[in-house]
């Protein structure tokens, strides 16, 4: 896999006690952090999403990784966490993420349903606030694991929806519920690590009128013959 050498943006002070070091950015779908030691040299590999990151962000991250290599617990530096939450980072890197994820079709208009209709209904009802979906992207997926109906990448603010929901027989309120659920992941505070479906999340989710009915429908969806599973 090709990579971009950005070692010159980091100093040996950042990666103490290593005198020799390399920092390589590689094209990967997810943000990743890794290192290996080769004859006293530390080779740090990061994702190329960080190509435009300020030097300080790279340096702090490399410093955390050097610490990790010496047995310290790996904690993402605050400068990094703050940077990846900026609109600029998201806008710059989202196209790469979408391209790499492959299952994202980049279309809101499916065969039967337009996901923008769901968004509009959710906004009209007041369940979703404009700020929830600010700088986000939604699309149908080309495929998705069974029993998953939607996916949300919080870092790049991308929602994708299982194409099994793109059928006439699936009521609006079920599609809207799935879209709503994924939007709630965008609403969650990304700066804190927490269980995705915690009590606060469930509280929001249960504000959806008839959520139990929608959940029941989803549980039974694969047993509905009329949905033409063979085409999926
Ligand atoms: Zn979820």
């Amino acid at each position: 896999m090709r990579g971009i050498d950005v070692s010159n943006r980091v100093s040996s002070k950042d990666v103490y006690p290593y005198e020799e070091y390399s920092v390589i950015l590689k094209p990967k779908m997810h943000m990743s952090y890794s290192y290996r030691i080769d004859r006293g040299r530390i080779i740090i590999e990061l994702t190329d999403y960080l190509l435009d990151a300020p030097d300080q962000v790279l340096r702090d991250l490399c410093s955390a990784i050097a610490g990790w290599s010496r047995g310290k617990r790996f904690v993402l530096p605050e400068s990094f966490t703050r940077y990846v939450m900026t609109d600029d980072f998201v806008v710059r890197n989202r196209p790469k993420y979408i391209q790499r994820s492959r299952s994202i079709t980049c279309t809101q208009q499916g065969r039967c349903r337009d996901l923008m209709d769901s968004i509009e209904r959710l906004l009209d009802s007041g369940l979703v606030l404009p700020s929830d979906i600010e700088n986000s992207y939604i699309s149908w997926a080309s495929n998705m694991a069974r029993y998953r109906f939607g996916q949300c990448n919080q870092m790049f603010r991308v929602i994708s929806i299982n194409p099994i929901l793109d059928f006439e027989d699936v009521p609006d309120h079920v599609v809207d519920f799935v879209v709503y659920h994924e939007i709630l992941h965008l609403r969650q505070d990304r700066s804190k690590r927490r269980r995705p479906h915690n009590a606060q999340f469930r509280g929001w989710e249960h504000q959806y009128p008839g959520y139990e009915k929608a959940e029941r429908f989803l549980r039974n969806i694969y047993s509905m013959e009329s949905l033409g599973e063979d085409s999926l």
Side-chain angles (χ1 to χ4, degrees):
M1 202 193 285
R2 65 193 192 286
I4 305 162
D5 192 319
V6 291
S7 312
N8 59 343
R9 294 172 57 188
V10 173
S11 82
S12 59
K13 258 200 278 172
D14 301 320
V15 291
Y16 178 84
Y18 302 96
E19 292 288 337
E20 290 188 74
Y21 59 92
S22 303
V23 183
I24 313 287
L25 303 183
K26 295 209 161 174
K28 289 182 184 172
M29 179 177 156
H30 293 290
M31 190 65 87
S32 64
Y33 327 91
S34 68
Y35 72 88
R36 64 199 152 82
I37 312 286
D38 183 17
R39 282 162 292 172
R41 181 190 197 88
I42 185 165
I43 299 141
I44 295 176
E45 278 189 17
L46 302 167
T47 324
D48 65 357
Y49 295 128
L50 294 173
L51 190 59
D52 300 308
D55 287 350
Q56 195 58 53
V57 169
L58 270 184
R59 296 172 64 179
D60 292 348
L61 190 55
C62 289
S63 165
I65 292 173
W68 176 30
S69 78
R70 303 197 314 269
K72 274 208 217 163
R73 196 165 74 93
F74 178 55
V75 181
L76 286 171
E78 214 194 299
S79 60
F80 170 85
T81 319
R82 236 182 299 120
Y83 172 64
V84 298
M85 279 170 48
T86 59
D87 282 348
D88 184 54
F89 170 81
V90 175
V91 169
R92 255 178 223 264
N93 291 292
R94 185 165 44 210
K96 270 190 235 166
Y97 167 76
I98 288 174
Q99 196 192 2
R100 288 168 188 175
S101 78
R102 297 207 179 159
S103 66
I104 296 169
T105 64
C106 296
T107 173
Q108 292 81 43
Q109 176 65 62
R111 286 189 301 175
C112 303
R113 295 182 175 282
D114 189 339
L115 291 169
M116 295 319 282
D117 291 343
S118 292
I119 301 262
E120 226 162 273
R121 283 190 292 267
L122 289 164
L123 284 168
D124 285 348
S125 68
L127 283 162
V128 166
L129 302 171
S131 56
D132 293 332
I133 52 171
E134 220 168 32
N135 191 15
S136 67
Y137 185 78
I138 187 164
S139 161
W140 285 104
S142 54
N143 54 64
M144 202 173 277
R146 260 173 101 96
Y147 304 109
R148 275 198 93 152
F149 298 103
Q151 249 173 315
C152 178
N153 181 291
Q154 287 176 309
M155 181 170 277
F156 298 109
R157 296 182 64 77
V158 174
I159 289 174
S160 48
I161 303 294
N162 191 328
I164 188 130
L165 300 177
D166 190 18
F167 285 91
E168 291 289 0
D169 299 353
V170 180
D172 283 348
H173 90 277
V174 173
V175 184
D176 294 1
F177 174 67
V178 172
V179 172
Y180 177 61
H181 175 107
E182 299 309 329
I183 288 175
L184 293 179
H185 286 303
L186 296 180
R187 183 187 288 175
Q188 285 179 311
D189 184 352
R190 283 178 291 164
S191 65
K192 299 197 177 85
R193 283 184 89 86
R194 51 177 62 175
R195 280 187 309 119
H197 300 136
N198 60 10
Q200 182 191 45
F201 185 94
R202 292 300 181 201
W204 290 334
E205 192 181 44
H206 295 171
Q207 283 169 14
Y208 188 85
Y211 75 92
E212 286 149 311
K213 223 171 104 194
E215 280 180 340
R216 213 172 314 124
F217 187 95
L218 291 169
R219 267 199 299 278
N220 296 322
I221 200 163
Y222 283 104
S223 54
M224 291 174 63
E225 281 173 27
S226 57
L227 287 179
E229 255 187 276
D230 56 347
S231 64
L232 295 171

